[in-house]
Amino acid sequence: MSPRTKEQNEIIRKQRKQEILQAAIRVYVDKGYVASEMSDIANQAGLAHGLVYYYFKNKKALFRELYEYMMEESKQYTKTFFQQEGSSYALFESYARIVCERVLENPVTQRFYMRISLDVHHLYTPEEFSPFEWIRNFMSQMTLAIEKGIQQGAIQQGDANLMAVQFWGSVSQGMNYLDQVQQELTAQGIPDADRKDQLKTILDQVVESAISLFKPK
């Protein structure tokens, strides 16, 4: 067998790091940052413990890369989404629905986002990273879309920055509530069809509530 090329090694390296990061999400959601160990992550990924240390020198380095990867992915998705053409009001409605549906399809990711904000202080000093600055940058594309919608007459007049904060706050709380209800219904053994109907009703309400502040008067 011929030796792997540099390109093949790079592909394998990226795949292995992704496996470790995805395992870290699952371990973190179950245990939180303090209780999570590198050995837990290695076991979850099905890898030798030493291999995890080959890619990440310690737990802090691993979770810093995971945090930055997840946050950048979320920011880029949101930026691309709101750069689409069309009614700003319709874009916000669609965005709220999509991110809420993702919670029901992949709740582990949402639980990571909800919990990690409590542990950022373990990863960075205040001088290194400001969660508030990240949130402001994350919502900047929403603010621009709101301003555009106001100019179009599709969104009511108001402070675009404040409206972006209100929108995202409503969606975030709605996502958290959907996750909680889904867990409760599953624990109660509610049949799939009934559970989906109940969750759809709640999801529709979350979306309607989130975009209600945009409706022109």
Side-chain angles (χ1 to χ4, degrees):
M1 181 181 294
S2 60
R4 290 194 296 260
T5 66
K6 182 179 180 181
E7 290 75 16
Q8 289 173 324
N9 284 329
E10 180 63 16
I11 291 172
I12 292 172
R13 186 188 73 83
K14 289 180 178 179
Q15 290 176 338
R16 191 71 73 227
K17 287 190 75 171
Q18 275 298 306
E19 290 172 4
I20 295 169
L21 292 176
Q22 291 302 314
I25 292 175
R26 294 189 288 274
V27 171
Y28 173 77
V29 166
D30 286 340
K31 295 189 171 185
Y33 178 77
V34 174
S36 294
E37 301 290 345
M38 294 288 271
S39 58
D40 298 327
I41 296 168
N43 290 337
Q44 180 70 50
L47 301 173
H49 295 187
L51 190 58
V52 175
Y53 282 102
Y54 174 78
Y55 290 100
F56 301 97
K57 65 178 182 180
N58 53 40
K59 182 174 77 171
K60 183 176 180 178
L62 191 162
F63 275 95
R64 280 178 69 143
E65 182 160 336
L66 174 61
Y67 180 81
E68 290 167 16
Y69 167 77
M70 295 291 285
M71 294 299 146
E72 184 62 23
E73 184 179 59
S74 179
K75 186 172 71 173
Q76 288 303 318
Y77 173 80
T78 300
K79 179 179 179 180
T80 301
F81 188 93
F82 283 105
Q83 287 178 341
Q84 297 179 88
E85 294 297 325
S87 164
S88 294
Y89 183 87
L91 283 176
F92 277 99
E93 182 176 16
S94 179
Y95 180 86
R97 186 169 299 281
I98 289 170
V99 296
C100 285
E101 287 173 345
R102 285 184 171 183
V103 172
L104 302 179
E105 295 167 0
N106 186 13
V108 171
T109 299
Q110 169 60 15
R111 292 169 197 166
F112 170 84
Y113 282 121
M114 292 299 295
R115 191 168 186 173
I116 194 64
S117 61
L118 303 176
D119 286 327
V120 172
H121 67 283
H122 291 299
L123 307 180
Y124 304 93
T125 64
E127 293 74 26
E128 288 178 313
F129 181 81
S130 168
F132 299 105
E133 183 66 19
W134 185 90
I135 286 291
R136 189 177 69 83
N137 290 334
F138 168 71
M139 291 192 298
S140 63
Q141 202 62 44
M142 295 184 192
T143 300
L144 292 175
I146 292 170
E147 291 173 345
K148 180 180 178 180
I150 291 172
Q151 294 172 1
Q152 293 172 336
I155 292 177
Q156 68 168 309
Q157 295 288 327
D159 184 311
N161 286 297
L162 175 59
M163 294 169 79
V165 170
Q166 291 173 317
F167 169 79
W168 182 241
S170 180
V171 172
S172 297
Q173 291 301 315
M175 290 191 292
N176 190 36
Y177 183 70
L178 278 166
D179 183 34
Q180 291 176 351
V181 172
Q182 179 164 242
Q183 292 182 71
E184 291 172 1
L185 295 177
T186 300
Q188 294 168 13
I190 303 298
D192 285 350
D194 293 340
R195 186 175 72 248
K196 289 179 180 179
D197 286 344
Q198 291 186 50
L199 290 170
K200 182 182 184 304
T201 298
I202 295 172
L203 190 152
D204 290 342
Q205 186 176 344
V206 169
V207 173
E208 179 62 27
S209 176
I211 63 173
S212 61
L213 63 99
F214 295 146
K215 291 182 178 179
K217 296 181 179 178

